[in-house]
Amino acid sequence: MILLPPQPLSVRFPAIHSTCPITRHHVIFQPAFSVSTITGITTATASGESSFSSSSFTSKQNDTEEEEEDDDDDDDDVLSLQKQRYDFTPLLKFLSENSISESASALASSPSSLNRVEFKLAESYRAVPAPLWHSLLKNLCSSNSSIDLAYAVVSWLQKHNLCYSYELLYSILIHALGRSEKLYEAFLLSQRQRLTPLTYNALISACARNDDLEKALNLMSKMRQDGYHCDFINYSLVIQSLTRTNKIDSSLLQKLYKEIECDKIELDGQLLNDVIVGFAKAGDASKAMMFLGMAQGVGLSPKTATYVAVITALSNSGRTTEAEAVFEELKESGLKPRTKAYNALLKGYVKMGYLKDAEFVVSEMERSGVLPDEHTYSLLIDAYANAGRWESARIVLKEMEVSHAKPNSFIYSRILAGYRDRGEWQRTFQVLKEMKSSGVEPDTHFYNVMIDTFGKYNCLHHAMAAFDRMLSEGIEPDTITWNTLIDCHFKCGRYDRAEELFEEMQERGYFPCTTTYNIMINLLGEQERWEDVKRLLGNMRAQGLLPNVVTYTTLVDIYGQSGRFDDAIECLEVMKAAGLKPSSTMYNALINAYARRGLSDQAVNAFRSMRTDGLKPSNLALNSLINAFGEDQRDAEAFAVLQYMKENGLKPDVVTYTTLMKALIRVDKFHKVPAVYEEMILSGCTPDRKARAMLRSALRYMKQTLKT
């Protein structure tokens, strides 16, 4: 497999630094060079330690000799390379003085006539071996200020037929342009000759480094169509770019891995680490664990960051036992856990409500000499807030002050969020007062949590007052602020005010994001304003925003609730065609929409489609299916769903049993309701108000029947 040439090392070739910037021109191969630039280069190349000798290129020769050397003269070339020294100063000076007046086409074409100076110059470099030209070019490309000079060198070599591996020269240039974030120029350069594996890989690398993933993936596809294989370095770069830009998706990563297997690429340590981190960041903890085991099985040691990514993925999935096991593996492998590793494990315990385990992690940190950071303290405060131990949360704040980790606005926002989630929104003013007394000024994030707290409890006047206070203090709202305000007004039924805020947001110069559009689509859908929904989708695309899974789920839900099932199914198909995977939430919405109208057969079909797409049925979907059968007066099928739940390890909840009781009442089988109620209690479910109401209704009907 042909790989990209490695990065230039200072020990191979001295760095060339210019003293002034190089002027850029519209013609890509017509660079201008100043006298001061060449003076700097001349000084560098004229000195004894900076001249081009065989010692500068010994390590590179082995990588390129198969492509560059003549098979009949291998020994002679090696001896020549070792004995001769070349000074490229005259060439660089000549190119700087003559490149302005010559066009790019003239530089690249064969000469019809030459002046005496240029002819002598070309002849003087006739014997320079190809590896030295490659090294010169790499060194010029190592500095942004001399990339234009590198252009001129390649064109001049091509003009005089002095180097025969032009695809390598072009790949070096493309690689350098990618590092300099000059992707457009890299593509222009690639059009000068047919794409080869070297230039393909250089272009893919340039795209990945600049996070232009669409171009990188398209190039990889085209490369395969041309019968070439992408190298393992570019697979690493593409996966790193996906992870860096938060565009990583488990299905896309699996597709890339299948291509790696088809190309029979052996995964090295870096690529395996990237794959593991990719699956972890995509939320696929099981796949991340599988590849972690694979790496350990072949004797490769994952990096600390890789372990941390896996622990985080497991913690986010609530798999704290496995997260703890991976944490222990990290320690046993000889790596010392740092603050991020402890925080990743701590997050899992906090999420699951395991307060003692969370406290133990923080204690273990202190015993190991690892200092907690602001994230550690915020997680611990979350743990105490979720447990209702407000005094303990305040003690943590005091500990922060003692350890010189002054509480910031984010810490107080976590305390406020804890009150919000427990329904104690009135404490908002107390938190704000304590925050001010500690000398901490609220920021945008704190006000966003504050507005959301008021919005969740229908205190719209307080939410708007918080927004006005935010503006009066000179704190700029962000898109999240506007989204929160629009959403809380929408959920309180204040549709007109929500639309006014949407317009005001844009008038103030804030661009709606995908989440903003999703909220507005939901708002318009509830009012069945279908033309406005289409107009909004058009505006969204015109702004360069593509609908995401939430957008399509919202569309399926609003169409389903209004009985526009054809439109709902069309959205589902469009989503799949766009390469997006339907979510369980989407199917739950569709099944529930069918259930409300008693369309049990259609609900069953939606359930089967859900299974076909590889999604596991949830209690929500199965409860909706029971409801569909109940509305359709098919109580036997409703109880068959209950049996399916038990056989597949899904625990029926209070909603399951309540819906079954409702199904029995609809078919006048009141006498069976008490038995279902009793089974509910025996299964460990606590009856809620609706369940008790169902039982009373059944008993009342039974009593009336006995009287008559």
Side-chain angles (χ1 to χ4, degrees):
M1 177 170 295
I2 303 177
L3 305 179
L4 279 174
Q7 301 279 347
L9 300 177
S10 57
V11 295
R12 296 177 184 161
F13 193 80
I16 297 175
H17 302 286
S18 65
T19 56
C20 76
I22 295 174
T23 308
R24 299 304 307 274
H25 291 267
H26 294 295
V27 181
I28 192 170
F29 295 104
Q30 192 180 4
F33 307 100
S34 65
V35 175
S36 59
T37 303
I38 271 303
T39 303
I41 295 173
T42 304
T43 304
T45 56
S47 63
E49 66 180 18
S50 299
S51 60
F52 305 99
S53 66
S54 60
S55 61
S56 301
F57 307 102
T58 304
S59 60
K60 179 62 191 167
Q61 179 188 342
N62 293 334
D63 294 336
T64 58
E65 62 184 0
E66 292 182 5
E67 294 179 20
E68 320 303 341
E69 293 181 349
D70 190 314
D71 293 336
D72 297 327
D73 300 314
D74 285 347
D75 294 336
D76 292 340
D77 285 349
V78 172
L79 288 171
S80 175
L81 192 61
Q82 290 175 344
K83 291 177 183 178
Q84 298 184 29
R85 301 165 72 87
Y86 297 95
D87 182 10
F88 293 98
T89 306
L91 171 61
L92 301 180
K93 189 172 183 180
F94 171 81
L95 291 175
S96 71
E97 291 172 350
N98 293 275
S99 58
I100 298 176
S101 59
E102 297 186 28
S103 67
S105 58
L107 276 170
S109 61
S110 297
S112 56
S113 63
L114 286 176
N115 64 48
R116 213 166 176 182
V117 174
E118 185 173 1
F119 178 76
K120 285 184 177 180
L121 192 63
E123 289 304 307
S124 69
Y125 291 111
R126 184 70 62 186
V128 176
L132 295 190
W133 290 119
H134 299 159
S135 296
L136 170 64
L137 192 58
K138 286 181 188 176
N139 215 269
L140 290 171
C141 289
S142 67
S143 171
N144 288 347
S145 60
S146 55
I147 287 179
D148 289 329
L149 185 55
Y151 285 148
V153 170
V154 173
S155 299
W156 193 81
L157 289 173
Q158 210 165 1
K159 177 179 179 180
H160 296 287
N161 294 321
L162 292 179
C163 185
Y164 298 102
S165 181
Y166 294 112
E167 65 168 319
L168 182 55
L169 297 181
Y170 278 114
S171 71
I172 293 169
L173 278 178
I174 292 168
H175 198 67
L177 288 167
R179 290 199 313 271
S180 303
E181 299 180 1
K182 298 177 180 177
L183 200 55
Y184 177 71
E185 289 92 335
F187 271 92
L188 284 181
L189 183 63
S190 70
Q191 294 171 7
R192 293 183 58 82
Q193 64 171 24
R194 186 177 64 85
L195 287 173
T196 64
L198 267 177
T199 46
Y200 259 128
N201 280 317
L203 270 178
I204 294 168
S205 171
C207 291
R209 288 179 188 279
N210 288 276
D211 294 330
D212 195 333
L213 290 166
E214 186 177 357
K215 284 191 178 71
L217 294 172
N218 286 339
L219 281 167
M220 290 173 79
S221 177
K222 191 173 185 301
M223 189 177 184
R224 294 177 70 83
Q225 290 172 9
D226 288 350
Y228 303 131
H229 298 309
C230 186
D231 65 26
F232 67 91
I233 296 173
N234 279 340
Y235 277 113
S236 270
L237 289 173
V238 167
I239 294 170
Q240 287 169 19
S241 180
L242 285 166
T243 305
R244 186 169 56 247
T245 57
N246 292 321
K247 294 178 180 177
I248 197 74
D249 177 74
S250 182
S251 57
L252 177 58
L253 201 51
Q254 289 181 57
K255 181 183 176 184
L256 286 173
Y257 181 68
K258 284 180 182 177
E259 290 179 4
I260 292 171
E261 286 186 315
C262 289
D263 292 343
K264 296 182 180 178
I265 295 174
E266 185 177 348
L267 276 73
D268 67 344
Q270 182 60 54
L271 184 52
L272 258 175
N273 273 282
D274 291 332
V275 170
I276 295 165
V277 172
F279 278 116
K281 296 281 186 182
D284 195 337
S286 298
K287 281 282 190 300
M289 287 285 284
M290 184 188 81
F291 281 98
L292 180 64
M294 184 188 298
Q296 293 168 333
V298 295
L300 294 173
S301 299
K303 299 177 182 177
T304 304
T306 305
Y307 278 115
V308 172
V310 175
I311 294 167
T312 302
L314 291 167
S315 294
N316 289 337
S317 304
R319 296 160 64 174
T320 52
T321 305
E322 292 167 276
E324 188 176 348
V326 174
F327 184 81
E328 291 301 320
E329 285 180 19
L330 166 63
K331 292 196 290 186
E332 290 170 6
S333 66
L335 299 170
K336 185 178 179 180
R338 299 294 180 187
T339 307
K340 283 187 177 180
Y342 280 104
N343 286 348
L345 185 61
L346 177 61
K347 187 178 181 181
Y349 290 136
V350 172
K351 183 174 182 178
M352 298 303 293
Y354 301 155
L355 183 55
K356 288 185 178 179
D357 291 316
E359 290 175 326
F360 177 79
V361 169
V362 177
S363 300
E364 184 66 26
M365 283 180 76
E366 294 170 350
R367 280 195 296 271
S368 302
V370 179
L371 294 176
D373 62 6
E374 292 172 355
H375 191 208
T376 313
Y377 287 118
S378 68
L379 286 169
L380 194 56
I381 287 171
D382 275 352
Y384 286 129
N386 293 338
R389 290 174 54 178
W390 306 113
E391 289 305 317
S392 298
R394 287 189 175 87
I395 291 172
V396 173
L397 288 175
K398 296 295 182 184
E399 287 179 4
M400 288 184 71
E401 292 174 2
V402 171
S403 61
H404 304 292
K406 186 179 178 181
N408 56 19
S409 182
F410 178 76
I411 297 292
Y412 282 101
S413 73
R414 297 311 306 153
I415 295 174
L416 179 56
Y419 284 131
R420 176 198 63 196
D421 296 340
R422 293 178 65 86
E424 300 181 46
W425 64 269
Q426 298 92 338
R427 289 179 176 261
T428 301
F429 305 104
Q430 179 186 340
V431 173
L432 186 61
K433 184 179 178 182
E434 289 181 4
M435 184 178 179
K436 294 269 188 178
S437 64
S438 299
V440 179
E441 292 298 324
D443 59 7
T444 303
H445 176 70
F446 180 85
Y447 272 113
N448 288 345
V449 177
M450 190 176 183
I451 292 167
D452 185 55
T453 301
F454 291 133
K456 282 186 182 299
Y457 297 97
N458 302 334
C459 302
L460 297 183
H461 59 291
H462 284 315
M464 290 307 300
F467 179 65
D468 292 337
R469 181 172 183 168
M470 178 182 185
L471 295 176
S472 67
E473 292 178 359
I475 299 171
E476 281 292 318
D478 57 13
T479 308
I480 297 173
T481 315
W482 289 103
N483 290 346
T484 306
L485 282 169
I486 294 167
D487 192 46
C488 68
H489 280 84
F490 158 55
K491 287 177 178 174
C492 290
R494 296 284 304 278
Y495 299 145
D496 292 342
R497 183 61 181 134
E499 289 188 65
E500 287 173 7
L501 287 166
F502 179 66
E503 296 300 328
E504 184 181 341
M505 173 187 185
Q506 296 170 84
E507 288 169 3
R508 286 178 181 247
Y510 295 90
F511 291 102
C513 65
T514 306
T515 303
T516 320
Y517 281 109
N518 291 342
I519 295 167
M520 291 304 298
I521 287 168
N522 201 6
L523 181 150
L524 296 171
E526 285 214 356
Q527 300 175 76
E528 300 191 2
R529 292 162 56 182
W530 308 119
E531 289 303 318
D532 288 335
V533 169
K534 289 180 181 178
R535 176 183 54 78
L536 204 63
L537 283 168
N539 293 345
M540 182 180 178
R541 290 190 175 93
Q543 193 180 316
L545 298 173
L546 294 176
N548 59 13
V549 175
V550 178
T551 312
Y552 286 111
T553 302
T554 304
L555 287 167
V556 168
D557 188 31
I558 60 175
Y559 283 135
Q561 296 300 330
S562 301
R564 298 169 67 96
F565 296 111
D566 289 341
D567 290 329
I569 297 298
E570 184 183 347
C571 284
L572 191 59
E573 297 302 324
V574 169
M575 178 186 178
K576 290 180 181 179
L580 297 173
K581 186 179 179 181
S583 64
S584 297
T585 308
M586 173 180 285
Y587 277 111
N588 292 342
L590 187 57
I591 294 168
N592 186 50
Y594 283 129
R596 288 190 174 191
R597 294 178 180 264
L599 301 172
S600 55
D601 289 335
Q602 289 87 334
V604 170
N605 288 336
F607 178 78
R608 286 172 179 163
S609 297
M610 180 183 186
R611 300 288 290 145
T612 303
D613 286 339
L615 297 171
K616 293 181 179 179
S618 62
N619 276 26
L620 185 58
L622 292 166
N623 288 344
S624 295
L625 200 55
I626 291 171
N627 190 36
F629 286 127
E631 291 293 324
D632 212 10
Q633 299 187 3
R634 296 167 64 179
D635 58 300
E637 286 89 340
F639 277 89
V641 176
L642 175 66
Q643 188 61 33
Y644 174 88
M645 293 175 74
K646 293 176 180 177
E647 291 172 356
N648 287 275
L650 291 166
K651 183 177 173 60
D653 55 21
V654 65
V655 178
T656 311
Y657 288 110
T658 303
T659 310
L660 284 168
M661 287 189 285
K662 188 173 77 169
L664 290 171
I665 290 172
R666 287 189 67 84
V667 293
D668 297 335
K669 294 183 179 179
F670 307 110
H671 61 287
K672 292 187 177 182
V673 171
V676 174
Y677 189 87
E678 185 178 357
E679 182 181 335
M680 175 175 59
I681 295 173
L682 293 174
S683 69
C685 294
T686 303
D688 60 6
R689 182 180 56 80
K690 286 186 177 180
R692 291 192 294 270
M694 288 293 170
L695 178 63
R696 282 196 298 270
S697 296
L699 293 174
R700 187 166 57 251
Y701 281 115
M702 288 170 65
K703 187 175 181 181
Q704 289 176 355
T705 304
L706 289 173
K707 285 182 178 180
T708 57

